[in-house]
């Protein structure tokens, strides 16, 4: 299974903020969408960073209440680790485990294609396991 298969099922829509937005604004976006990370895109729609709940927590630990007024670019993670649509899901799992992050933008030839989360990967793995079990049941029954 490839990342493109996950994107085909989940879609390619991404939620993004700009580098000059305030952290408070980005937090409102995360809360409203009930998501754990947003991509940071510049005016050309190029990926320049990613802002996760962990980034926000670190900013709050350093700056307390003052953190809400910071610009996203002061808090975001950069450079961003990405994958391509032709990467395997196993490769994505290894990247996420090694990098200790839960969101991975999908980029092909410099163009943002979507984002996969650890939840997407777990769902894929559960579906694959269920299908394998069903295939084995069918095989044994015949």
């Amino acid at each position: 299974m490839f990342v493109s298969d996950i994107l085909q099922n989940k879609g390619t829509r991404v939620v993004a903020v700009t580098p000059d937005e305030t952290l408070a604004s980005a937090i409102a976006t995360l809360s409203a969408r009930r998501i754990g990370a947003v991509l940071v895109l510049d005016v050309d729609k190029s990926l320049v960073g990613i802002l996760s709940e962990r980034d926000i927590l670190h900013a709050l630990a350093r700056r307390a209440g003052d953190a809400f007024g910071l610009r996203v670019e002061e808090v975001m993670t950069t450079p961003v680790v990405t994958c391509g649509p032709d990467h395997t899901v196993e490769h994505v799992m290894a990247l996420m485990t090694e990098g200790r992050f839960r969101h991975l933008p999908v980029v092909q030839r410099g163009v943002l294609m979507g984002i996969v989360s650890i939840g997407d990967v777990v769902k894929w793995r559960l579906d694959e396991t269920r299908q394998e079990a069903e295939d084995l049941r069918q095989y044994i029954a015949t």
Side-chain angles (χ1 to χ4, degrees), residues 91-111:
H91 176 75
V92 167
M93 290 189 307
L95 281 175
M96 288 179 167
T97 300
E98 190 176 300
R100 301 185 53 82
F101 47 79
R102 300 180 320 222
H103 301 88
L104 193 59
V106 182
V107 176
Q108 185 175 39
R109 294 183 202 94
V111 177

Side-chain angles (χ1 to χ4, degrees):
M1 171 83 66
F2 298 95
V3 171
S4 58
D5 298 317
I6 291 176
L7 290 180
Q8 186 175 358
N9 288 331
K10 100 175 242 185
T12 59
R13 196 172 133 257
V14 298
V15 178
V17 296
T18 61
D20 59 338
E21 282 187 48
T22 64
L23 190 57
S25 172
I27 291 170
T29 299
L30 288 168
S31 179
R33 301 292 182 108
R34 299 179 49 100
I35 55 178
V38 290
L39 299 181
V40 184
L41 305 180
D42 66 11
V43 293
D44 298 327
K45 303 294 183 203
S46 296
L47 180 64
V48 295
I50 188 167
L51 179 72
S52 69
E53 295 163 324
R54 184 176 295 153
D55 296 320
I56 295 166
L57 183 64
H58 288 291
L60 288 170
R62 286 190 314 269
R63 300 281 297 266
D66 292 340
F68 295 109
L70 294 173
R71 291 189 328 268
V72 167
E73 67 186 349
E74 297 175 81
V75 180
M76 69 185 186
T77 296
T78 187
V80 182
V81 176
T82 64
C83 68
D86 56 339
H87 283 118
T88 65
V89 175
E90 289 82 4
H91 176 75
V92 167
M93 290 189 307
L95 281 175
M96 288 179 167
T97 300
E98 190 176 300
R100 301 185 53 82
F101 47 79
R102 300 180 320 222
H103 301 88
L104 193 59
V106 182
V107 176
Q108 185 175 39
R109 294 183 202 94
V111 177
L112 180 63
M113 307 296 293
I115 188 169
V116 292
S117 70
I118 191 69
D120 300 326
V121 172
V122 169
K123 180 184 181 315
W124 164 81
R125 185 65 184 121
L126 287 173
D127 291 346
E128 182 182 58
T129 301
R130 285 185 192 116
Q131 186 60 52
E132 287 172 355
E134 181 57 32
D135 291 347
L136 285 171
R137 279 194 272 292
Q138 293 289 332
Y139 177 75
I140 292 168
T142 56

